Amino acid sequence: MDFYSKFVKRREILNSLLCVGIDPDVTKLPSHLEKFPDKLYVFSREIVDATAEYAVAYKPNIAFFEAFGSKGIEQFEKLISHIKTNHPEIPIVADAKRGDLDNTARQYAKFFFKELGVDSLTLSPYMGSDTIKPFIEDDSRMVFLLCLTSNPDSAELQQKTFSETGRTLYREVAALSEKFPAKNVGLVVGATHPKELLEIRKAHPDRIFLIPGYGAQGASLEEVISVCGKNSLVNSSRSIIFSSSGTDFAEKAGKAAASVTEQMRKLLG
C-alpha cells in the first residue's frame, strides 16, 4: 500500500491527524535505560508500541541515531523494521531532510525507500526539481519539501521576497510542489506560522502538510487544526515521548498520545 492510501486510511479510522515524532535525545532518556547498549532503539520501540493505537504516522528523526555512527544507524534500522513488522498499517516518515544532485539523490532514495522501506522522507528543495524526481520514481512513495519551518530564524531566508514574482521563498517552494502529483509531494509547514499556514492551504488544497511545531514549541492545537485542513499530519514529539523520565515513560507517552488524539477528534468533529 502506498503512503497516501495508508495515511488516508489511518486518518479516517482514528479521526485524527497525529504524527508521533521519534526524537530519542540521549540526554533526556530515562536513566534506567543506560544498561541497554541499544538504548535509543529500546526507548523508541517502547514509545512506538505504547502510542501505536493513536498514531496516524510516525516520524523518526535519523539525526538522533546518526550521532552515534554505525551503532546508531543500526538502531535506526531496527526501529524501522520493528514498526514495519508490528505496525505495518502506520506510515513512516523518515525525517532526514535530504536534498542533493540527481545521482546522489538516487543513493539516498535507495537507502531510505529500498533498503529501509520507509513510506516517506523529508527533503530540502533548495537545489530544484531535478533533485526531487529520483525520490518519487516509485510512485508509492511520498516526500515532504521543507517550505516554512517552525524555527525562529526561518524568516531569514524563507520569508524573503522574489522581486520577479513578488512571492516569498516559501510560496515559491509551495508552487514548486505543484509540478508533481499531490500523492507524492507534500509540504512541511510549521505550526508556529498559523497565518501563513492558512495562506498556503488555500493556495494548495490538495497537498498533504507535515506540520511540526505543535506541543513543546508552543503552537496551539486549536489554532493549527482550524487552518490546516484534514490533508495534514500534525507532529508532536517531545510533549509525548518525554512525558515521563521514569520507568513509566512508555505508559505516560501512550496517555499523552491519547489525550492529543481526543483533542483532535473534538476539533475535527
Side-chain angles (χ1 to χ4, degrees):
M1 188 181 294
D2 61 21
F3 173 89
Y4 184 79
S5 299
K6 277 187 173 184
F7 160 66
V8 170
K9 187 173 183 179
R10 287 294 289 177
R11 181 191 69 191
E12 296 306 307
I13 288 173
L14 297 179
N15 189 27
S16 173
L17 307 177
L18 177 61
C19 177
V20 177
I22 308 297
D23 301 353
D25 184 340
V26 72
T27 67
K28 297 179 180 179
L29 299 188
S31 59
H32 73 279
L33 296 182
E34 287 296 327
K35 62 184 177 183
F36 295 100
D38 56 348
K39 59 188 174 185
L40 300 176
Y41 166 68
V42 172
F43 173 80
S44 301
R45 180 196 65 201
E46 295 303 306
I47 292 291
V48 164
D49 290 344
T51 59
E53 183 180 350
Y54 309 104
V56 175
Y58 283 114
K59 185 177 72 65
N61 189 325
I62 196 171
F64 292 94
F65 298 86
E66 284 180 325
F68 297 93
S70 59
K71 292 181 180 178
I73 295 295
E74 181 181 355
Q75 292 179 70
F76 185 80
E77 293 174 343
K78 284 175 65 177
L79 174 62
I80 300 303
S81 178
H82 178 80
I83 298 172
K84 289 175 59 183
T85 300
N86 296 278
H87 311 287
E89 72 283 4
I90 304 177
I92 303 169
V93 182
D95 193 357
K97 301 178 180 69
R98 297 301 193 249
D100 212 323
L101 297 177
D102 179 275
N103 61 333
T104 308
R106 290 180 186 282
Q107 304 312 307
Y108 286 134
K110 181 180 179 182
F111 175 63
F112 284 100
F113 291 146
K114 292 185 179 180
E115 295 299 319
L116 292 184
V118 301
D119 304 282
S120 183
L121 184 66
T122 56
L123 294 184
S124 168
Y126 187 76
M127 296 177 73
S129 299
D130 59 349
T131 67
I132 298 167
K133 292 174 184 176
F135 291 97
I136 57 172
E137 288 179 350
D138 178 349
D139 68 2
S140 70
R141 306 305 186 184
M142 181 85 181
V143 296
F144 288 96
L145 308 182
L146 299 178
C147 179
L148 183 59
T149 56
S150 57
N151 57 301
D153 290 337
S154 62
E156 289 181 347
L157 292 178
Q158 295 166 18
Q159 298 202 36
K160 295 294 184 182
T161 301
F162 279 68
S163 59
E164 295 88 349
T165 63
R167 293 192 301 203
T168 56
L169 177 57
Y170 74 81
R171 286 299 306 273
E172 292 290 344
V173 171
L176 177 68
S177 73
E178 294 292 343
K179 291 186 175 183
F180 306 99
K183 70 185 288 288
N184 298 119
V185 177
L187 299 169
V188 177
V189 186
T192 50
H193 305 284
K195 179 182 176 182
E196 291 83 359
L197 176 56
L198 177 59
E199 171 196 350
I200 301 169
R201 173 52 77 203
K202 286 181 176 179
H204 306 280
D206 297 330
R207 297 288 139 182
I208 301 176
F209 289 178
L210 175 61
I211 305 175
Y214 157 68
Q217 292 187 51
S220 159
L221 185 60
E222 291 79 5
E223 199 168 26
V224 173
I225 295 293
S226 69
V227 298
C228 73
K230 291 189 71 175
N231 247 13
S232 300
L233 283 169
V234 180
N235 184 78
S236 182
S237 301
R238 285 170 285 174
S239 59
I240 288 179
I241 69 174
F242 296 124
S243 295
S244 170
S245 59
T247 56
D248 62 348
F249 73 93
E251 178 187 354
K252 289 294 180 65
K255 289 181 178 178
S259 177
V260 174
T261 298
E262 184 59 29
Q263 293 177 61
M264 286 187 173
R265 287 171 177 167
K266 290 178 180 177
L267 294 168
L268 290 166

